[in-house]
Every structure is written in structure tokens, then in C-alpha cells.
């Protein structure tokens, strides 16, 4: 027992020493290694939940919710530490939706679960594309249409109750109106440049346009 302990302790000391020397000579820093390590804890915890579900079977489907959340958080933190949180942070919003979607797919397929799934995924997608394209002023109506997406998924997966279509159409219509206003407002600032370009092209085409044959015949007649 003592012999095995000394080997373990010795190996740990060697690893720590190598990491310390590597950090001092600039190969990689210990802080950088830690930044990559702690997100893996979320992923590791999610695997335990997945294993719990696999051991219990369908009766343990509820474990898929924290499993999906922790896995999504771990991957998001890992990507954020390696690259940047600039575009990956909307995944934090989508993480509960991942867990609920897994519960729906591998659980009792309750249609009500799809309402928050649709809402959260739509909000996350709106944030992602708004951040990617820097069009928050145009794409923000996606927050209005998010409940409509959730209700539409409920309508599709449920009993197709016609009453659900009323709020779906109302929310979608409001979102389309605000989206149209935002789009016209965004591109309206470039209208003067577009109009000027059109006038320039019209003037150049007028100058370069060949005279018609009838006009040429009239000039020869005189």
C-alpha cells in the first residue's frame, strides 16, 4: 500500500512540476489549463445523469433534464473559454430547452413540454442571429413570436385544437408588423444612396442610348 501511494504521490509531483515549468517558459499556462478543465466538470456531471437514466430506463427519464442542461452548459462554457462568449452565450438560454426536449423524446412525449422548448429555442436563436448580424433593432420581434412557436409545436404534437391558432396568428402578426417596421427603418437610412445610384445609372444609360431609327430617318429627310 505504501509503495503504491508513493508512486501516485510522486507522479502527481512530477506532473505539477512539468506544468509549473511549462507555464514559466510559455508553452502553456496553468490558468489556461484550468479554464479548459472546469467546463468539463459540467459535462462529466451530465454523463452521470445519463448513466442514471440508462440504468433506470424509462422510469428515470426525468434525469435527462439535468443531463441535457449540464451538458449544454459545459459545452457552452468550453467554447466560450476556447474562443469567445460573443456568439455562444445564447446557448445558456437554450440549455433548459435541450433538457426538456430530451425528456419529450425519451419520456412520455407530453406535448406540453414543447411549449417552453419552442419559446427558449426561438429566444436563443433570436439572440444568436442578432448578435451575429448586429441587427438587434430589426430581429427583436423574434421575442414576440417565441410564444407563438411554442404554441404551434403544441398544436402540431397535441390534439390540434383550433383555439391555439388564435394566439399564434395574433403574435405572429404583431411580430411581422414590428419586423417590417424595423426592416424599413434599417434600410431606410440607405435609401438616399440607393436613389442616387439609380438616378446615376438612369442618366448614364440615357447618354449612352443609341438614337432610334425613326429619329435618324427624320434627320436625313431634312
Amino acid at each position: 500500500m505504501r509503495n503504491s501511494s508513493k508512486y501516485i504521490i510522486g507522479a502527481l509531483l512530477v506532473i505539477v512540476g512539468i506544468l509549473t515549468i511549462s507555464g514559466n517558459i510559455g508553452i502553456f499556462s496553468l490558468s489556461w489549463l484550468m479554464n479548459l478543465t472546469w467546463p468539463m466538470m459540467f459535462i462529466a456531471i451530465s454523463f452521470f445523469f445519463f448513466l442514471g437514466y440508462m440504468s433506470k430506463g424509462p422510469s428515470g427519464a426525468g434525469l435527462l433534464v439535468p443531463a441535457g442542461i449540464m451538458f449544454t452548459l459545459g459545452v457552452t462554457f468550453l467554447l466560450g473559454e476556447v474562443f469567445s462568449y460573443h456568439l455562444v452565450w445564447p446557448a445558456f438560454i437554450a440549455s433548459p430547452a435541450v433538457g426538456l426536449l430530451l425528456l419529450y423524446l425519451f419520456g412520455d412525449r407530453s406535448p406540453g413540454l414543447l411549449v417552453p422548448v419552442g419559446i427558449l429555442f426561438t429566444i436563443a436563436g433570436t439572440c444568436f442571429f442578432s448578435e451575429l448580424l448586429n441587427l438587434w433593432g430589426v430581429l427583436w420581434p423574434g421575442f414576440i413570436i417565441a410564444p407563438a412557436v411554442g404554441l404551434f409545436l403544441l398544436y402540431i404534437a397535441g390534439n390540434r385544437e383550433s383555439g391555439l391558432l388564435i394566439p399564434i396568428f395574433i403574435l405572429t402578426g404583431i411580430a411581422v408588423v414590428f419586423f417590417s417596421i424595423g426592416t424599413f427603418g434599417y434600410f431606410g437610412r440607405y435609401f438616399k444612396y440607393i436613389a442616387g445610384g439609380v438616378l446615376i445609372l438612369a442618366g448614364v444609360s440615357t447618354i449612352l442610348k443609341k438614337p432610334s431609327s425613326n429619329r435618324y430617318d427624320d434627320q436625313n429627310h431634312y
Side-chain angles (χ1 to χ4, degrees):
M1 183 69 179
R2 289 182 178 179
N3 291 333
S4 60
S5 298
K6 72 176 183 180
Y7 291 132
I8 295 174
I9 295 174
L12 290 175
L13 292 175
V14 171
I15 293 173
V16 172
I18 293 174
L19 292 176
T20 303
I21 295 173
S22 300
N24 290 330
I25 64 177
I27 296 178
F28 59 85
S29 63
L30 187 60
S31 61
W32 180 81
L33 183 63
M34 290 299 297
N35 289 338
L36 297 184
T37 302
W38 70 265
M40 299 299 295
M41 297 176 60
F42 288 87
I43 299 176
I45 294 173
S46 71
F47 283 146
F48 283 109
F49 283 113
F50 281 121
L51 290 175
Y53 163 72
M54 294 176 64
S55 63
K56 291 186 177 182
S59 61
L63 295 173
L64 292 174
V65 178
I69 294 174
M70 298 300 288
F71 182 80
T72 305
L73 290 177
V75 173
T76 304
F77 280 126
L78 186 61
L79 293 175
E81 293 294 331
V82 173
F83 301 104
S84 172
Y85 286 97
H86 175 61
L87 294 178
V88 300
W89 67 265
F92 292 127
I93 302 174
S95 58
V98 175
L100 293 174
L101 181 60
L102 291 175
L103 178 60
Y104 172 78
L105 294 176
F106 300 98
D108 57 357
R109 287 187 172 269
S110 175
L113 293 172
L114 294 178
V115 177
V117 169
I119 293 174
L120 292 174
F121 272 133
T122 304
I123 292 175
T126 301
C127 294
F128 173 77
F129 286 106
S130 298
E131 195 75 32
L132 176 65
L133 303 174
N134 194 22
L135 291 177
W136 286 96
V138 176
L139 299 180
W140 69 266
F143 299 126
I144 299 177
I145 205 173
V149 174
L151 293 175
F152 182 72
L153 292 177
L154 177 62
Y155 172 79
I156 294 296
N159 298 324
R160 296 181 180 266
E161 298 179 6
S162 58
L164 292 173
L165 296 176
I166 298 176
I168 291 174
F169 284 125
I170 292 175
L171 292 172
T172 303
I174 295 174
V176 169
V177 170
F178 282 113
F179 177 75
S180 301
I181 294 174
T183 302
F184 287 129
Y186 178 79
F187 290 103
R189 70 184 72 175
Y190 303 106
F191 177 76
K192 57 183 178 181
Y193 301 106
I194 297 174
V198 171
L199 292 175
I200 292 173
L201 290 176
V204 172
S205 63
T206 301
I207 295 172
L208 299 178
K209 185 178 180 181
K210 294 181 179 180
S212 61
S213 58
N214 293 333
R215 185 176 180 182
Y216 181 76
D217 293 339
D218 293 339
Q219 290 177 353
N220 290 336
H221 178 73
Y222 288 112

